[in-house]
Amino acid sequence: MAVTAAEFDYLLKVLLRLSELMNPQYDIAADIKSWQAQFTPSQQRQGLQEGLGDLAEQGFGFPADSRRQIDETMRSEGLMTLTELQVRHGRRVKRLLKKKRLFREDDAIALKGFLDSGLLNDADAQIAMDLIENFQT
């Protein structure tokens, strides 16, 4: 799920709010301020992409009622829901599996997240493991 400069501010709001709902014990806002001061805009978009991917994958482990409640809150605030984020992130993983080639580390991270979460069938899991192993060499 690539993050463009045009959608950066909106997706940052999504990240902050989802993080607040999913991990209330963690104050991500302080980390974001530090992160914005240290990194270039391109690096910030990359970090945002990875953070959103982490939340999408984490959400798969939430009970259905919790996911529904998070979605309702996000929708009421005019923000992308967890389900919408998961669909967007899942499309990226499907494209990677179809291409059967990884070019960037964050692609390997996205595949590993789905693999570790048990979200892939056996055939796709094998493809993902092979891709990750080949990427690391």
Side-chain angles (χ1 to χ4, degrees):
M1 174 180 83
V3 174
T4 66
E7 63 185 353
F8 181 84
D9 290 337
Y10 170 74
L11 289 176
L12 183 58
K13 287 178 190 173
V14 170
L15 175 82
L16 289 167
R17 187 62 174 125
L18 268 178
S19 183
E20 183 180 293
L21 293 169
M22 295 172 68
N23 304 304
Q25 71 283 359
Y26 174 55
D27 180 19
I28 193 170
D31 286 345
I32 295 294
K33 285 183 183 185
S34 169
W35 166 73
Q36 287 181 314
Q38 294 178 28
F39 298 106
T40 67
S42 175
Q43 291 170 321
Q44 291 175 32
R45 287 191 303 275
Q46 182 68 30
L48 178 57
Q49 176 181 314
E50 291 172 15
L52 288 167
D54 288 347
L55 287 176
E57 292 164 12
Q58 181 185 0
F60 287 115
F62 278 46
D65 288 342
S66 295
R67 288 196 315 266
R68 233 183 333 272
Q69 191 173 33
I70 289 168
D71 282 352
E72 288 172 13
T73 300
M74 296 295 285
R75 193 173 296 110
S76 73
E77 295 176 13
L79 296 170
M80 179 187 294
T81 65
L82 174 60
T83 300
E84 291 167 338
L85 179 63
Q86 289 172 320
V87 167
R88 188 171 168 175
H89 186 63
R91 285 185 192 135
R92 175 183 183 203
V93 169
K94 286 180 184 178
R95 279 192 306 273
L96 294 171
L97 291 170
K98 187 177 178 179
K99 286 181 182 178
K100 295 185 180 177
R101 186 151 186 199
L102 302 179
F103 293 99
R104 301 184 332 233
E105 183 178 3
D106 61 304
D107 292 337
I109 291 168
L111 276 181
K112 183 150 177 31
F114 261 61
L115 187 62
D116 291 348
S117 299
L119 299 171
L120 301 173
N121 63 38
D122 290 344
D124 286 343
Q126 186 59 52
I127 292 168
M129 285 187 290
D130 292 344
L131 287 171
I132 292 165
E133 183 178 316
N134 289 334
F135 181 76
Q136 292 174 344
T137 58

